[in-house]
Amino acid sequence: GGTGFVRDRPAEFSARNVSREVIVAGIEAAITDVTEGLAGFEDDRLSAAYPRPIGDTHARVGDFLIHLATHLAFHLGQVDYHRRLVTGDSYSVSPVAIPELSSATAEEDAAP
């Protein structure tokens, strides 16, 4: 995304006793990086090759973005499940509702 972010995966997985403030700051920085990285993102980039190998494989940018979105959803579900166990609150965080999607249209407006 051109933000300058460089991941330090070993540090991410070895960190212990991280304060809430540090976690929140990391989430806020990630939101900023993703927002900046996707600003001005052209559709034709979706079919381009992702610039780095992922393990021993290569993928298109669009496919890798799908992977990232589903991976994030997996972890958000884990966090929400853990939150419910710890707090006893059965309220679930709401996923993006279909009507909130940028491509969603009313049924009468939908293409056949």
Side-chain angles (χ1 to χ4, degrees), residues 50 63-73:
Y50 186 72
D63 290 340
F64 192 60
L65 288 174
I66 291 169
H67 162 76
L68 292 175
T70 57
H71 191 84
L72 173 62

Side-chain angles (χ1 to χ4, degrees), residues 16-57:
R16 299 289 182 266
N17 301 315
V18 180
S19 71
R20 180 184 184 114
E21 291 77 19
V22 169
I23 292 170
V24 170
I27 291 169
E28 290 173 349
I31 290 169
T32 298
D33 284 346
V34 169
T35 301
E36 289 176 8
L38 293 177
F41 191 90
E42 299 293 332
D43 288 346
D44 60 340
R45 287 185 62 197
L46 295 173
S47 59
Y50 186 72
R52 297 183 189 177
I54 304 141
D56 295 329
T57 62

Side-chain angles (χ1 to χ4, degrees), residues 43 96-106:
D43 288 346
V96 176
I98 299 297
E100 295 173 5
L101 297 174
S102 65
S103 63
T105 59

Side-chain angles (χ1 to χ4, degrees), residues 13 19 27 54 76 78 81 83 90 92-94 99 101 108 111:
F13 284 92
S19 71
I27 291 169
I54 304 141
L76 290 176
Q78 289 176 316
Y81 184 71
R83 178 197 55 81
S90 63
S92 176
V93 296
S94 299
L101 297 174
E108 61 271 6

